[in-house]
Amino acid sequence: MNPDQSNTRAGSIPVLANENLLGKRSRLVTMLAAATGLAAVALPTTNDPGPLYLLDDEGDAGAIVPAQPLIPDKNQRGWLRGTCAPGDTLVLADAATEADRGMIRKLPATAGTYRVVGWAEETGVDGQLALFRPAPFSFITVA
């Protein structure tokens, strides 16, 4: 056992909800530092945020909520905007639409740079908790 790796954990971690996350379970959230300096999570406000986690449970601003890192050795379910088919590249839904923040969508044909979340592992329809395989941290540019 490596003693340098004490006080580490696998799976979900407890973090502060930096905003009201009630009703947002199974959405993607991004990690940031709260005013207190502690780790906190919030819904993405851009289409290219940094570290993403899956919100395992909801909570009001200031509550402790569990967030699970996106790692490729475990598939997960996220709220889908639009449709997808197995093998489709999934990216964050458009963060400019407040109701879609933290949701996933099929890579659009519209030019731009998108944060890749993973690949669809099943056919999905709008509003479904779609099964996907998380991808390593990456971006894709559509010309």
Side-chain angles (χ1 to χ4, degrees), residues 36-92:
T36 59
L38 297 174
V41 292
L43 295 171
T45 56
T46 66
N47 291 332
D48 59 350
L52 288 174
Y53 292 76
L54 187 79
L55 189 63
D56 278 338
D57 203 359
E58 56 190 43
D60 206 349
I64 300 295
V65 295
Q68 190 172 143
L70 294 180
I71 53 175
D73 70 340
K74 176 183 184 283
N75 57 11
Q76 294 179 305
R77 289 192 179 274
W79 292 105
L80 182 65
R81 177 60 64 220
T83 62
C84 68
D88 282 346
T89 298
L90 299 175
V91 298
L92 278 176

Side-chain angles (χ1 to χ4, degrees), residues 116-135:
V116 175
V117 174
W119 298 276
E121 290 192 332
E122 68 181 6
T123 299
V125 297
D126 192 58
Q128 172 186 343
L129 275 169
L131 189 66
F132 71 98
R133 179 71 52 174

Side-chain angles (χ1 to χ4, degrees), residues 2-14:
N2 182 346
D4 297 339
Q5 299 303 313
S6 65
N7 198 26
T8 62
R9 70 178 75 203
S12 295
I13 58 171

